[in-house]
Amino acid sequence: MEEDLRLAEEAEALAEQAEDSRALYEVKMQYLGRTGKVTALMKRMKDLAQELRPAFGKKVNALREKLESLFAAREEKLKEKELAARLAGERIDVTEPGRKLQKGALHPVTRVKNELIDVFAGMGFEVFEGPEIETDYYNFTALNTPADHPARDMQDTFYVADGILLRTQTSAGQIRLMEKKKPPIKMLSPGRVFRSDDDATHSPMFHQMEGLVVDKGITLCDLQGMLDEFARKVFAETSKTRLRPSYFPFTEPSVEVDVSCAACGGKGCSLCKGTGWIEVLGAGMVNRRVLENCGVDPDVYTGFAFGMGIERIAMLKYGINNIKLLTENDTRFLEQFK
Ligand code: DAH
């Protein structure tokens, strides 16, 4: 009898001490489990005299029932406590302000490229993209720039292997297209180009937009008319263009094209260095040797070509003074183009 009391008190104290339902389960097993203390008491019954057994069995059973209800009560309390703690931990404050979604935007080079494609597509040009890794033939030789031609020094070339290079100009696309398609041709060719050149206005990788028109009776006047339209659409409604003589091996005559400065309206400012004009691209009438190289008869067809740097146009349009800003991808810079 005394033993019953002692066991019950001891179990109650331990159950009270159990911090969570797991610890409580272990205490319960110490008493009521298969090798527990109460179970051991029951096993002692067989050592008793026959007549003492019923009374002893009754007592032990009463003790078991008492402990069972004691553990059940304690377990219920602990479970309640645990549920409350879990709910508190998972609580969501629905009044908290939401996290702002960072929306991306098109890169200024992509924006200008798309805008140029729009403008020229409106004039009937079709987009053609040539490969970035080119052969010496398409990048130079077929463009009337043979191996020892001094004009090769105008562009510092990255060679990949003998006769294979990273294209220095999208002009290579002119040859690829004319080999495939007979005139009339109105081609626009955007893409990456590569040159070993690096300062505030030059980067080893940049983008160009090439244009080529070949048909019967194409003249320099057609080129200028188209350039005027381009300047009005891309820069300002009042923009004008001017052609200056220049030299490119694949055009004859060759011109450098200036656009009237949109910042000062041509009066002269720091952007145009007081001249009122800004150089934007190179162009010219396609050299008859280039047409011949592509199997186009220069006595029947003539054409003009032009090529511009997309970064340069973006820098002029948005007043960007360092080309590196366009490749650093600093979001503080890019965010301004949303
Ligand atoms: N390919 C020349 C360059 O990278 C630009 C150019 C000039 C392209 C005159 C042309 C052109 O198509 O006619 O400097």
Side-chain angles (χ1 to χ4, degrees):
M1 187 63 190
E2 265 163 43
E3 193 161 13
D4 293 358
L5 257 177
R6 201 172 45 74
L7 267 187
E9 275 167 14
E10 188 185 282
E12 191 165 10
L14 285 176
E16 281 302 323
Q17 277 164 31
E19 293 272 322
D20 53 36
S21 46
R22 213 195 152 76
L24 180 70
Y25 177 78
E26 261 150 39
V27 177
K28 188 173 158 184
M29 287 302 112
Q30 274 175 39
Y31 290 88
L32 304 177
R34 257 194 315 124
T35 54
K37 293 184 181 170
V38 177
T39 318
L41 268 182
M42 205 55 149
K43 282 183 187 151
R44 268 168 48 196
M45 193 147 76
K46 63 179 182 326
D47 304 331
L48 291 178
Q50 188 71 39
E51 64 277 17
L52 293 178
R53 285 184 192 175
F56 183 80
K58 233 179 164 179
K59 263 199 265 171
V60 177
N61 270 336
L63 172 65
R64 168 179 287 279
E65 271 162 30
K66 187 174 173 194
L67 289 186
E68 259 164 11
S69 63
L70 187 149
F71 284 123
R74 180 70 185 142
E75 190 178 345
E76 196 173 326
K77 262 205 188 138
L78 283 177
K79 284 248 159 87
E80 252 171 44
K81 212 173 94 187
E82 280 162 8
L83 180 67
R86 216 181 81 206
L87 289 180
E90 289 174 359
R91 205 181 129 150
I92 294 169
D93 181 357
V94 291
T95 64
E96 220 176 67
R99 228 174 269 156
K100 230 178 155 189
L101 252 177
Q102 284 278 3
K103 257 219 242 154
L106 289 181
H107 189 277
V109 167
T110 308
R111 278 173 70 137
V112 169
K113 181 179 107 177
N114 290 350
E115 189 182 340
L116 290 171
I117 292 176
D118 274 358
V119 168
F120 286 102
M123 295 191 254
F125 282 72
E126 271 178 279
V127 173
F128 169 83
E129 285 186 50
E132 290 174 2
I133 298 176
E134 261 300 2
T135 63
D136 188 281
Y137 176 76
Y138 286 100
N139 196 78
F140 289 124
T141 311
L143 286 162
N144 195 34
T145 323
D148 50 0
H149 198 288
R152 287 209 179 195
D153 297 342
M154 287 162 77
Q155 301 169 1
D156 279 318
T157 310
F158 290 116
Y159 282 88
V160 176
D162 198 23
I164 315 266
L165 45 82
L166 299 184
R167 69 175 172 199
T168 61
Q169 49 189 357
T170 45
S171 307
Q174 292 186 23
I175 309 298
R176 289 199 174 264
L177 187 82
M178 280 194 282
E179 280 183 352
K180 275 207 206 86
K181 190 177 181 257
K182 295 297 140 214
I185 285 171
K186 256 181 150 179
M187 171 206 84
L188 194 63
S189 190
R192 285 195 186 99
V193 297
F194 307 85
R195 292 181 197 179
S196 179
D197 208 353
D198 204 3
D199 61 34
T201 52
H202 297 89
S203 154
M205 185 284 292
F206 63 103
H207 298 75
Q208 282 188 335
M209 182 71 81
E210 189 84 12
L212 174 72
V213 173
V214 182
D215 202 353
K216 287 178 183 155
I218 298 290
T219 69
L220 203 63
C221 280
D222 297 313
L223 170 65
Q224 184 148 29
M226 185 222 63
L227 289 172
D228 277 337
E229 175 72 3
F230 147 77
R232 279 194 298 268
K233 290 254 170 71
V234 175
F235 295 100
E237 195 46 48
T238 50
S239 289
K240 288 197 251 322
T241 61
R242 123 183 137 170
L243 309 185
R244 278 181 293 109
S246 183
Y247 173 77
F248 297 104
F250 34 87
T251 44
E252 181 58 38
S254 300
V255 292
E256 212 101 49
V257 180
D258 297 339
V259 170
S260 54
C261 180
C264 62
K267 284 197 231 42
C269 66
S270 61
L271 185 67
C272 58
K273 299 190 184 78
T275 64
W277 295 94
I278 291 175
E279 186 193 318
V280 289
L281 58 94
M285 297 304 291
V286 181
N287 193 306
R288 37 188 306 132
R289 293 228 189 133
V290 174
L291 294 175
E292 276 165 6
N293 288 341
C294 304
V296 176
D297 185 348
D299 293 323
V300 178
Y301 295 102
T302 51
F304 66 73
F306 61 88
M308 65 185 95
I310 300 182
E311 279 81 354
R312 178 163 172 78
I313 306 284
M315 288 168 80
L316 290 171
K317 258 181 90 94
Y318 300 121
I320 300 164
N321 57 13
N322 193 322
I323 196 167
K324 299 295 179 299
L325 287 167
L326 293 169
T327 42
E328 277 167 353
N329 281 339
D330 185 329
T331 50
R332 290 167 302 178
F333 169 76
L334 295 174
E335 258 169 13
Q336 299 174 59
F337 297 90
K338 276 186 187 164

